[in-house]
């Protein structure tokens, strides 16, 4: 009896231990079981689905044909069946990623990762992400067409989820030990907000305010001019505008020396988030029809943010890039038109200083009255421990993000965030309509619903039009409004009205025969509205435009070559200056060799070349030492961008800022360059000591594709041997770069060429997980299949599936 | 029952149960086999339970691994800090084997309980056989 009891206990103990995860480990029994654990995610073929499948809710059969790239071509007889299938198919290949990104947006990562994700989640609650998503989802209920489609999509996703047992769960669920929950249109809205935040929360109003407070308006203008010389705006310079702009008046007594803030600004999305796009008119192409190109730059993550698909139903035949979880083509083409997007910088967030009545913060001052703040208790569920509560206060401006309870550092007043992303908007409608649009007028009608974030939308049609629209919902501001923290207690400082869509910058069939954008200034100073952004790019657009200007009889290959162009205007402009101004009397033999290598350089960031690595090392050291005054643990300040830095090097060699803080001497530009060169050589020596190969740009850069969960480090791809630089069209850096590359040739029948760093399957155990990574790395493209009907026996199809009601 | 037969029985039964039960079906298999054929001693029972499941799990994992060209085992082994992907097969075998071993002990003790319930003579007979 004793033995029985002991062994019974032992068995139970074993069961419990092997069934529960401890710490970072998954439940070992479940995970290692070859019949239902991770081994079941080790696939032998790209696709192991049944050829016939019942999907509840369909009204007629849907045909899904997968080509060799595992791109699904979906043929449905009704729109709802189509989107229901899109839901089922994207959930088949990318379920974990879709859901994970909505958890991130909603501030629910602590449910998966425990306490270490708590601060991240608190930030998302305070940024009002869920609040914004709920507003958008609520709006969809009133727009029945969009609502029907999103419900069908959600049903399709849920049909897939419901079919999953532990055995068939995606790998990350088994590793991280949780299960998927039901999908809904609210999650689609959360994903849209997730993307919007990546593209529009990179502002620096707090950092601007702190700089202004410390150094004054004169230095602010010097280091951060709104229109530096030499810009090449999206809408060609010199364009005239024939509308009457309504611009609000700046109130009197606007404080030009606002107090600084000790709030530590949250981690911003990568400043490199942006993209290139352009279209070339048929007058300048070999075919006589327009060409369009778009590559969107984001963090290099896998599974990719993009999923390629072709969708067909009565009235729709469209191919392009879908964000898993949002059933619309963001960049792509149909039979008649093609479109794409780049981020159009604009300050879309303003911060309002809130004066609360007392410590209870139940009321705040506004136009001499006390308004009630709305208190929302956010419950953050944390795996392994009890939930944490955070009270978020909402004012009429928006949520109070920074206060004494959140990186406020004693900030008692509170800073409320007003973001265009909080507004009700209808981006889904834009993309649903773009999929069906046939010409420029329909394109314009479709994009009029697009509010957030701010995008340069490029367009080309088989009919011969090319266009570029800077589109978004922008507050009409007086010059300077919103660049610094605003007082939140006076209505005169609120946003008064929005710029009408018809007044947004746009260009159709320009003389120069091409349109392009690469996150630069949208317009020059002739445009009447205030278009400030802290992040306009100054390099890629200029390079792209100079190449496009030279092109006659452009071909799709020319477009691809331009996307892969690795010539950097930054290097071209900085290197001669730096070599000239450095003190040549003080250079060591090692430094002389360094400089000679740069002298011989053609400013191309080739994978195997040495000079690009040398330049990056030196430039980074120089930039770090140049702006050391602006780095502080307690007060965050903005740094001048590289473009302005070069202009200051050229025009202001005696600028105070060239001084290096850590030395007693006062350096000028020459001293600074020499010191940074010395430091660069030390960095280079340290690298050489650890390296087992000669210095190369790719070897130093070590481009890496990281899994969405960074500690799942073996699920990524490291040391990708590629060239490029953030300041060249091929904007590859270590962790960031083109998340896709697309070239479309319009004509009687359109063609497209695509690649992206990732694969259609989001399963690390699938042979197609990193399918496109090698081609993306070396710059190859695949021609895409654009089918007109299913079942034609196309040799490119590897698997056919029929989904039935 | 000869130990080899017990090992085989555990493996076969565990294989049959896996389509209906989660991972602990292998423990049930070991329990059941060792109720019927408890083996000469606890140590032998533990070994036959362990090896039976370990063989099934390691062969199944190895077949999957080969068909997958070790794509996934390579990533998972690196994630766990293991020097070689094949160690994952070993680890799977050990984990399943442990469940099988403890199950065998439990099965054997149930067999003993049942036998002692039939009277001291049955126990003597049982012990004489052992």
């Amino acid at each position: 009896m004793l033995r029985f009891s002991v062994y019974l206990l032992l068995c139970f103990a074993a069961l419990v231990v092997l069934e529960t995860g401890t710490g970072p480990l998954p439940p070992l029994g479940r995970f290692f079981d070859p019949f239902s654990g991770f081994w079941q995610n080790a696939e032998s073929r790209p696709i192991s689905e049944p050829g016939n499948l019942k999907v509840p809710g369909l009204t007629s059969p849907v045909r899904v044909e997968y080509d060799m790239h595992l791109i699904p071509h979906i043929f449905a007889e009704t729109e709802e069946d189509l989107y229901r299938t899109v839901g089922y198919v994207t959930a088949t290949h990318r379920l974990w990623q879709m859901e994970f990104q909505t958890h991130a947006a909603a501030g629910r990562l602590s449910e998966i990762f425990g306490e270490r994700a708590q601060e991240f989640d608190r930030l998302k609650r305070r940024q009002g992400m869920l609040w914004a998503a709920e507003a958008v989802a609520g709006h969809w209920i009133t727009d029945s067409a969009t609502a029907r489609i999103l419900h069908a999509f959600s049903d399709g996703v849920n049909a897939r989820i419901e079919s999953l047992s532990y055995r068939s769960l995606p790998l990350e669920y088994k590793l991280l030990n949780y299960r998927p929950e039901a999908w809904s249109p609210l999650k689609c809205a959360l994903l849209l907000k997730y993307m919007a935040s990546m593209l529009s929360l990179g502002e620096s109003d707090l950092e601007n305010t702190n700089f202004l407070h410390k150094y004054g308006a004169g230095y602010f203008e010097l280091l951060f001019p709104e229109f530096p010389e030499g810009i090449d705006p999206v809408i060609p310079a010199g364009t005239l505008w024939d509308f009457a702009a309504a611009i609000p008046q700046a109130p009197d007594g606007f404080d030009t020396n606002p107090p600084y803030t000790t709030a530590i600004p949250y981690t911003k999305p990568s400043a490199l988030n942006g993209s290139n796009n352009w279209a070339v008119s048929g007058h300048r192409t070999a075919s006589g029809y327009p060409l369009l190109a778009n590559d969107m730059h984001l963090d290099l993550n896998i599974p990719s943010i993009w999923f390629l698909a072709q969708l067909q139903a009565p009235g729709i035949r469209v191919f392009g890039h879908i964000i898993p979880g949002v059933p619309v083509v963001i960049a792509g083409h149909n039979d008649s038109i093609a479109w794409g997007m780049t981020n159009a910088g604009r300050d879309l967030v303003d911060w309002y200083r809130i004066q609360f009545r007392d410590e209870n913060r139940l009321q705040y001052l506004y136009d001499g009255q006390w308004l009630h703040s709305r208190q929302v208790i956010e419950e953050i569920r944390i795996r392994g421990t009890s939930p944490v509560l955070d009270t978020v206060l909402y004012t009429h401006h928006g949520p109070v993000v920074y206060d004494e309870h959140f990186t406020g550092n004693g900030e008692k007043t509170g800073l409320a965030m007003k973001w265009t992303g909080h507004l009700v908007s209808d981006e889904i409608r834009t993309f649903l309509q773009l999929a069906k649009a046939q010409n420029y007028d329909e394109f314009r009608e479709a994009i009029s619903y697009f509010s957030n974030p701010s995008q340069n939308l490029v367009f080309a049609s088989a009919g011969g039009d090319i266009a570029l629209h800077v589109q978004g919902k922008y507050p009409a501001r007086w010059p300077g409004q919103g660049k610094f923290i605003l007082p939140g207690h006076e209505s005169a400082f609120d946003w008064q009205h929005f710029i009408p869509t018809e007044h947004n910058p746009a260009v159709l069939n320009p003389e120069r025969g091409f349109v392009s954008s690469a996150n630069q200034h949208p317009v020059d100073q002739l445009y009447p509205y205030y278009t400030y952004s802290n992040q306009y790019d100054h390099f890629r657009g200029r390079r792209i435009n100079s190449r496009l200007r030279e092109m006659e009889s452009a071909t799709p290959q020319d477009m691809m070559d331009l996307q892969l162009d690795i010539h950097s205007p930054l290097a071209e402009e900085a290197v001669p200056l730096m070599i000239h101004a450095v003190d040549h009397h003080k250079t060591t033999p090692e430094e002389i060799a360094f400089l000679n290598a740069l002298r011989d350089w053609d400013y191309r960031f080739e994978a195997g070349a040495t000079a690009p690595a040398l330049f990056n090392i030196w430039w980074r050291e120089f930039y770090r030492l140049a702006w050391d005054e602006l780095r502080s643990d307690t007060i965050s300040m903005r740094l001048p961008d590289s473009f302005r830095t070069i202009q200051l090097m050229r025009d202001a060699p005696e600028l105070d800022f060239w001084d290096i803080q850590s030395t007693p001497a006062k350096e000028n530009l020459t001293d600074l360059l020499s010191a940074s060169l010395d430091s660069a050589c030390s960095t280079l020596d340290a690298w050489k000591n650890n390296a087992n190969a000669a210095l190369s740009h790719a070897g130093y850069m070590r481009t890496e594709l990281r899994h969405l969960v960074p500690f799942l480090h073996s699920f990524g791809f490291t040391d990708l041997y590629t060239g490029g630089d953030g300041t060249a069209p091929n904007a590859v850096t270590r962790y960031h770069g083109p998340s896709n590359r697309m070239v479309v040739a319009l004509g009687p029948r359109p063609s497209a060429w695509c690649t992206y760093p990732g694969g259609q399957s989001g399963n690390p155990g699938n042979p197609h997980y990193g399918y496109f990574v090698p081609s993306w790395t070396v710059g190859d493209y695949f021609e895409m299949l654009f089918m007109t009907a299913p079942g034609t026996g196309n040799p490119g199809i590897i698997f056919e599936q029929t989904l039935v009601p | 029952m000869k130990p080899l037969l017990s090992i085989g029985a555990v493996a076969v039964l565990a294989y049959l149960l896996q389509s209906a039960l989660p991972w602990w079906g292998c423990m049930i298999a070991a329990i059941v086999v060792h109720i019927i054929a408890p083996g000469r001693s606890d140590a032998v029972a533990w070994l036959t339970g362990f090896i039976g499941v370990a063989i099934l799990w390691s062969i199944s994992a190895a077949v999957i691994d080969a068909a997958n060209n070790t794509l996934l085992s390579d990533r998972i082994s690196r994630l766990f800090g293991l020097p070689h992907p094949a160690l994952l097969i070993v680890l799977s075998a050990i984990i399943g084997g442990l469940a099988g071993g403890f199950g065998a002990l439990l099965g054997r003790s149930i067999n003993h309980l049942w036998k002692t319930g039939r009277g001291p003579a049955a126990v003597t007979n049982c012990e004489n056989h052992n």
Side-chain angles (χ1 to χ4, degrees):
Chain A
M1 188 64 197
L2 178 65
R3 266 195 318 176
F4 169 75
S5 314
V6 167
Y7 292 145
L8 186 63
L9 223 57
L10 261 175
C11 277
F12 264 116
L15 260 173
V16 166
V17 165
L18 296 175
E19 177 74 3
T20 11
T22 42
L25 290 177
L28 297 177
R30 281 214 222 166
F31 190 74
F32 282 91
D33 173 15
F35 302 105
S36 60
F38 81 89
W39 292 107
Q40 287 294 309
N41 299 90
E43 298 186 73
S44 54
R45 296 191 304 273
I47 183 152
S48 317
E49 292 288 303
N52 269 284
L53 193 55
K54 254 180 132 69
V55 175
L58 288 177
T59 58
S60 20
V62 176
R63 191 97 163 138
V64 183
E65 300 195 8
Y66 286 90
D67 64 31
M68 68 188 83
H69 315 301
L70 210 58
I71 296 173
H73 301 258
I74 304 175
F75 300 90
E77 292 174 37
T78 71
E79 263 197 15
E80 276 186 51
D81 282 353
L82 175 66
Y83 289 104
R84 177 164 277 123
T85 305
V86 172
Y88 194 90
V89 167
T90 42
T92 298
H93 300 287
R94 302 285 197 90
L95 175 62
W96 175 81
Q97 164 203 11
M98 285 163 62
E99 194 190 43
F100 182 75
Q101 288 173 321
T102 59
H103 277 69
R108 293 178 55 192
L109 290 184
S110 304
E111 291 175 32
I112 305 171
F113 297 113
E115 278 176 326
R116 57 187 153 154
Q118 191 178 317
E119 286 308 294
F120 175 90
D121 285 348
R122 284 184 73 203
L123 173 63
K124 292 299 139 194
R125 308 300 176 103
R126 281 168 172 258
Q127 284 173 332
M129 298 288 282
L130 182 59
W131 174 57
E134 280 167 351
V136 168
H139 174 78
W140 285 334
I141 293 171
T142 61
D143 176 357
S144 56
T146 304
R148 264 187 305 111
I149 284 171
L150 292 177
H151 276 289
F153 173 78
S154 303
D155 287 348
V157 174
N158 286 328
R160 179 68 185 182
I161 293 176
E162 278 149 33
S163 75
L164 299 176
S165 58
Y166 181 78
R167 168 184 311 213
S168 40
L169 278 180
L171 179 65
E172 291 89 345
Y173 287 109
K174 295 181 186 174
L175 253 175
L176 300 171
N177 199 18
Y178 69 108
R179 291 195 59 97
E181 62 180 29
W183 192 271
S184 66
L186 176 62
K187 293 199 173 210
C188 301
L190 276 169
L191 267 177
L192 285 174
K193 292 304 162 191
Y194 178 78
M195 279 303 280
S197 70
M198 282 205 281
L199 298 172
S200 63
L201 294 189
E203 53 75 40
S204 65
D205 301 342
L206 269 63
E207 295 87 337
N208 288 348
T209 303
N210 288 343
F211 183 97
L212 179 68
H213 177 84
K214 182 162 185 188
Y215 292 104
Y219 272 118
F220 193 93
E221 277 312 304
L222 183 66
L223 265 54
F224 311 107
E226 283 174 7
F227 286 93
E229 260 186 68
I231 64 170
D232 190 357
V234 171
I235 308 300
T239 303
L240 299 172
W241 308 94
D242 64 353
F243 51 74
I247 301 182
Q249 274 277 61
D252 296 327
F254 182 37
D255 189 358
T256 50
N257 184 18
Y260 65 74
T261 171
T262 50
I264 301 167
Y266 50 73
T267 308
K268 303 294 167 62
S270 172
L272 298 168
N273 283 351
S275 319
N276 306 323
N277 65 19
W278 61 83
V280 182
S281 156
H283 301 306
R284 302 184 65 137
T285 62
S287 68
Y289 288 97
L291 292 167
L292 182 143
N294 189 198
D295 58 299
M296 296 181 271
H297 307 158
L298 295 168
D299 288 328
L300 292 174
N301 285 140
I302 192 165
S304 170
I305 190 83
W306 304 116
F307 182 76
L308 291 172
Q310 178 182 353
L311 311 183
Q312 179 165 318
I316 312 167
R317 179 185 301 137
V318 65
F319 171 84
H321 299 75
I322 291 180
I323 297 174
V326 185
V328 291
V329 171
I330 305 290
H333 70 91
N334 58 27
D335 289 296
S336 317
I337 71 166
W339 68 93
M341 16 211 331
T342 73
N343 206 33
R346 196 70 70 100
D347 186 9
L348 299 176
V349 178
D350 282 349
W351 295 94
Y352 287 90
R353 201 172 237 112
I354 306 299
Q355 267 175 253
F356 291 107
R357 191 172 193 171
D358 53 36
E359 297 96 57
N360 295 324
R361 304 187 303 156
L362 296 168
Q363 291 175 310
Y364 65 99
L365 186 63
Y366 187 65
D367 279 351
Q369 311 230 307
W370 294 107
L371 294 189
H372 286 278
S373 62
R374 189 167 65 92
Q375 316 246 324
V376 173
I377 314 269
E378 293 279 353
E379 185 194 35
I380 299 173
R381 292 196 297 264
I382 304 183
R383 171 178 249 170
T385 177
S386 41
V388 153
L389 298 176
D390 189 18
T391 307
V392 182
L393 300 170
Y394 282 76
T395 65
H396 73 281
H397 300 292
V400 175
V401 176
Y402 299 109
D403 60 21
E404 57 199 339
H405 299 295
F406 190 79
T407 83
N409 271 357
E411 189 84 38
K412 286 230 181 299
T413 47
L415 296 175
M417 173 192 191
K418 187 154 184 72
W419 178 33
T420 58
H422 288 144
L423 304 169
V424 169
S425 58
D426 214 350
E427 287 75 29
I428 297 275
R429 184 167 177 179
T430 291
F431 296 111
L432 288 175
Q433 287 188 211
L434 278 176
K436 301 184 192 180
Q438 309 270 302
N439 54 50
Y440 177 64
D441 287 331
E442 291 175 11
F443 166 80
R444 284 187 66 179
E445 156 56 21
I447 69 174
S448 66
Y449 303 101
F450 190 89
S451 323
N452 177 269
S454 165
Q455 297 291 293
N456 297 310
L457 293 159
V458 71
F459 168 88
S461 73
D465 288 325
I466 60 169
L468 206 145
H469 280 245
V470 181
Q471 176 58 25
K473 196 162 181 181
Y474 307 114
R477 295 185 165 106
W478 67 80
Q481 182 187 13
K483 199 153 63 164
F484 309 104
I485 297 174
L486 292 162
H489 64 278
E490 263 184 72
S491 56
F493 293 96
D494 290 7
W495 294 354
Q496 307 298 320
H497 59 262
F498 292 97
I499 300 176
T501 298
E502 316 83 73
H503 293 185
N504 280 339
V507 63
L508 171 68
N509 297 329
E511 290 250 355
R512 66 184 185 179
F514 65 86
V515 295
S516 86
S517 71
N519 318 115
Q520 72 265 47
H521 279 73
V523 286
D524 61 11
Q525 287 171 278
L526 293 176
Y527 181 74
Y529 290 101
Y530 184 59
T531 59
Y532 159 72
S533 164
N534 66 328
Q535 279 185 334
Y536 289 131
D537 183 85
H538 296 98
F539 299 111
R540 289 177 281 114
R542 287 189 292 137
R543 173 66 183 166
I544 289 169
N545 286 351
S546 78
R547 289 281 311 272
L548 288 174
R549 275 180 204 114
E550 293 163 354
M551 280 190 200
E552 302 287 342
S553 294
T555 61
Q557 187 60 51
D558 290 328
M559 305 291 92
M560 296 179 218
D561 290 344
L562 185 50
Q563 285 184 335
L564 299 171
D565 187 293
I566 50 177
H567 179 107
S568 163
L570 166 65
E572 189 173 359
E573 286 150 24
V575 168
L577 206 53
M578 291 166 88
I579 293 180
H580 174 77
V582 80
D583 189 344
H584 292 273
H585 299 117
K586 290 209 202 130
T587 44
T588 65
E590 194 193 350
E591 289 171 1
I592 292 173
F594 195 108
L595 294 172
N596 284 338
L598 287 177
R599 256 187 257 270
D600 294 335
W601 187 26
D602 59 5
Y603 313 121
R604 294 175 66 247
F605 280 77
E606 261 189 73
T610 316
L614 297 177
F615 172 71
N616 269 341
I617 293 172
W618 191 13
W619 178 257
R620 277 175 207 156
E621 283 301 300
F622 169 76
Y623 187 85
R624 180 182 68 83
L625 290 171
W627 306 118
D628 53 355
E629 292 86 342
L630 304 179
R631 289 202 172 84
S632 143
D633 288 334
T634 46
I635 308 218
S636 296
M637 283 186 280
R638 179 175 166 198
L639 271 55
D641 60 39
S642 300
F643 184 69
R644 187 60 187 153
T645 301
I646 294 175
Q647 289 181 335
L648 291 170
M649 288 160 74
R650 197 187 59 211
D651 303 333
E654 298 297 323
L655 186 65
D656 299 347
F657 284 97
W658 303 138
D659 178 34
I660 300 173
Q661 298 288 87
S662 53
T663 67
K666 186 167 190 330
E667 288 83 2
N668 60 15
L669 179 62
T670 295
D671 303 322
L672 174 57
L673 280 167
S674 298
S676 60
L677 180 59
D678 180 64
S679 167
C681 285
S682 307
T683 303
L684 181 58
D685 287 339
W687 185 90
K688 282 184 176 164
N689 284 338
N690 287 327
N692 43 23
L695 178 68
S696 70
H697 173 49
Y700 188 77
M701 185 161 66
R702 304 197 62 199
T703 297
E704 184 178 339
L705 191 58
R706 290 188 293 187
H707 191 266
L708 285 173
V709 178
F711 70 75
L712 297 178
H713 54 84
S714 64
F715 287 8
F717 293 82
T718 55
D719 291 298
L720 296 172
Y721 195 79
T722 172
D725 185 72
T727 57
N730 191 10
V732 179
T733 61
R734 180 162 191 191
Y735 296 118
H736 200 275
S739 63
N740 86 305
R741 293 191 186 109
M742 172 182 82
V743 172
V744 182
L746 276 322
R749 295 190 56 175
S751 303
W753 293 262
C754 292
T755 183
Y756 66 85
Q760 292 285 97
S761 172
N763 175 15
N766 184 298
H768 269 34
Y769 177 61
Y771 178 84
F772 290 116
V773 175
S775 63
W776 177 89
T777 302
V778 302
D780 283 341
Y781 294 67
F782 290 101
E783 184 164 358
M784 298 285 105
L785 204 52
F786 191 56
M787 298 169 66
T788 48
T792 51
N794 191 306
I797 299 297
I798 63 166
F799 180 71
E800 295 170 0
Q801 188 176 45
T802 306
L803 306 185
V804 292
Chain B
M1 194 198 279
K2 292 176 93 160
L4 270 174
L5 278 176
S6 293
I7 289 172
V10 168
V12 167
L13 186 55
Y15 178 74
L16 292 174
L17 287 177
Q18 61 81 18
S19 54
L21 291 174
W23 68 272
W24 38 261
C26 64
M27 187 188 276
I28 304 279
I31 294 172
V32 167
V33 167
H34 288 81
I35 289 176
I36 297 170
R40 275 201 308 261
S41 67
D42 275 359
V44 168
W46 190 89
L47 269 175
T48 52
F50 179 96
I51 296 173
V53 178
I55 283 185
L56 176 65
W57 279 30
S58 55
I59 291 177
S60 308
V63 166
I64 291 172
D65 196 34
N68 175 244
N69 290 316
T70 72
L71 277 176
L72 185 57
S73 61
D74 183 59
R75 292 186 187 275
I76 299 280
S77 62
R78 278 190 288 134
L79 188 62
F80 285 134
L82 297 175
H84 196 280
L87 288 173
L88 281 177
I89 298 176
V90 172
L91 210 49
S92 302
I94 291 174
I95 288 170
L98 283 174
F102 291 134
L105 289 174
L106 180 61
R108 187 161 188 278
S109 73
I110 290 174
N111 172 281
H112 180 82
L113 252 178
W114 177 61
K115 287 224 175 89
T116 55
R118 291 170 78 200
V123 174
T124 316
N125 283 341
C126 172
E127 282 171 358
N128 284 342
H129 280 121
N130 293 347

